[in-house]
Amino acid sequence: HSQYDDGVALAMSSSNTVVIAPGPNRGPARIGVAKAASAARINRGPKGQPDGTATVTFDVNVRNYGTAALYGVQVSDVLEGPGAAQFGVRTTATVPGPGQYTILPGTLAVVDVQSGRTSGGSGTVVAVNPAFNGTSTVSDLLAPGAVLPEAGQFSLRFDVRFHTAGHADTLLSAVRAQAATVMGGAPVAFDDSVNGSNPDADGDGNPGNDTSPTPVSLALPVLSLMKSASLPRRVAPDVYELDYRFKIDNTGTAPAPNVRLIDNLNCTFDM
């Protein structure tokens, strides 16, 4: 209120001052990302022999852990590198040679989307970058314009085929996520991935303190098969019997579970 004196008596009048309460504390912008790898799968050539390459499937899970929407969300993944724990040089060849890798065409995809709390907004918006190849110059997994509302989440998946020669027993891989809090703004939220599927592995609400590379083990089973047959023995007119022997070896460095052996005798005896 205000007051004034006209020289006779004190007068008072109320002002139009309005007290505005502070808005809720939105907290820090937080984005979290996790990366998981499947077991590496041995690839084989036309004759069934290992061709020296393996394929691994990566899953990348991204979530908004803050209390406001995130804009311009991007996830980068650099696979190339000369180190023994890296994948080598990118190639467009279907079968990579020693020291090479390739992203299998058409495998990069969005496999899960959770809209989160939209408050009337459009929810999670995400699309993949079809040009992604894992090099330092084309490392973005997402097309421009990705949006993550509060608690929004999405998952990506892609396959990498690489030559196993010259690598360490374990390759290491990681991704980095970033986002802005305003459309068209500079990124202010960042996170380096943690191994697994949960970006906040310790459950404290802060994915920024959960960071670890994702291992890809090259300890793989390698099976070989030998088949031999005895001389046929006559047991009746026009009837013979013989013995088959199979020898299966695992010459790799990891167990081979669920081994099956199939032998189609129709191919031999025209049954």
Side-chain angles (χ1 to χ4, degrees):
H1 68 273
S2 63
Q3 65 181 26
Y4 60 90
D5 188 349
D6 61 2
V8 177
L10 184 66
M12 301 181 65
S13 72
S14 299
S15 72
N16 62 352
T17 302
V18 177
V19 178
I20 301 176
N25 183 6
R26 303 297 287 179
R30 283 179 173 167
I31 190 170
V33 59
K35 184 177 188 181
S38 71
R41 306 180 294 277
I42 291 291
N43 296 307
R44 297 181 179 274
K47 296 183 179 181
Q49 297 299 315
D51 64 7
T53 72
T55 298
V56 62
T57 298
F58 287 113
D59 285 282
V60 178
N61 190 20
V62 185
R63 181 179 174 88
N64 181 354
Y65 285 86
T67 54
L70 296 174
Y71 300 92
V73 177
Q74 190 54 261
V75 183
S76 61
D77 192 348
V78 178
L79 298 167
E80 71 172 350
Q86 296 173 294
F87 287 85
V89 178
R90 182 243 179 184
T91 180
T92 57
T94 302
V95 180
Q100 296 179 336
Y101 77 91
T102 188
I103 308 296
L104 293 188
T107 61
L108 176 58
V110 179
V111 293
D112 182 59
V113 175
Q114 298 181 25
S115 293
R117 294 186 281 274
T118 62
S119 300
S122 60
T124 298
V125 177
V126 60
V128 300
N129 172 20
F132 166 73
N133 60 23
T135 64
S136 58
T137 54
V138 193
S139 62
D140 290 346
L141 289 164
L142 303 180
V147 178
L148 269 178
E150 180 185 354
Q153 183 171 323
F154 63 83
S155 297
L156 309 172
R157 179 173 296 162
F158 62 95
D159 289 348
V160 179
R161 185 174 184 176
F162 61 98
H163 203 284
T164 61
H167 287 297
D169 291 339
T170 302
L171 303 181
L172 300 175
S173 183
V175 301
R176 182 172 173 83
Q178 65 179 40
T181 53
V182 295
M183 193 172 298
V188 295
F190 303 89
D191 188 45
D192 293 315
S193 62
V194 64
N195 180 40
S197 60
N198 184 2
D200 183 25
D202 61 7
D204 66 352
N206 178 15
N209 58 17
D210 301 279
T211 301
S212 59
T214 298
V216 178
S217 175
L218 295 186
L220 304 172
V222 177
L223 298 181
S224 63
L225 171 64
M226 294 179 58
K227 179 181 180 180
S228 60
S230 67
L231 294 174
R233 300 182 296 273
R234 185 174 183 273
V235 295
D238 298 324
V239 178
Y240 294 84
E241 69 177 15
L242 68 160
D243 301 319
Y244 284 117
R245 176 172 295 182
F246 299 90
K247 182 181 180 183
I248 304 173
D249 288 322
N250 179 3
T251 59
T253 54
N258 305 316
V259 175
R260 294 189 304 161
L261 181 61
I262 300 172
D263 191 11
N264 187 354
L265 295 177
N266 287 340
C267 298
T268 302
F269 297 101
D270 194 21
M271 299 173 65

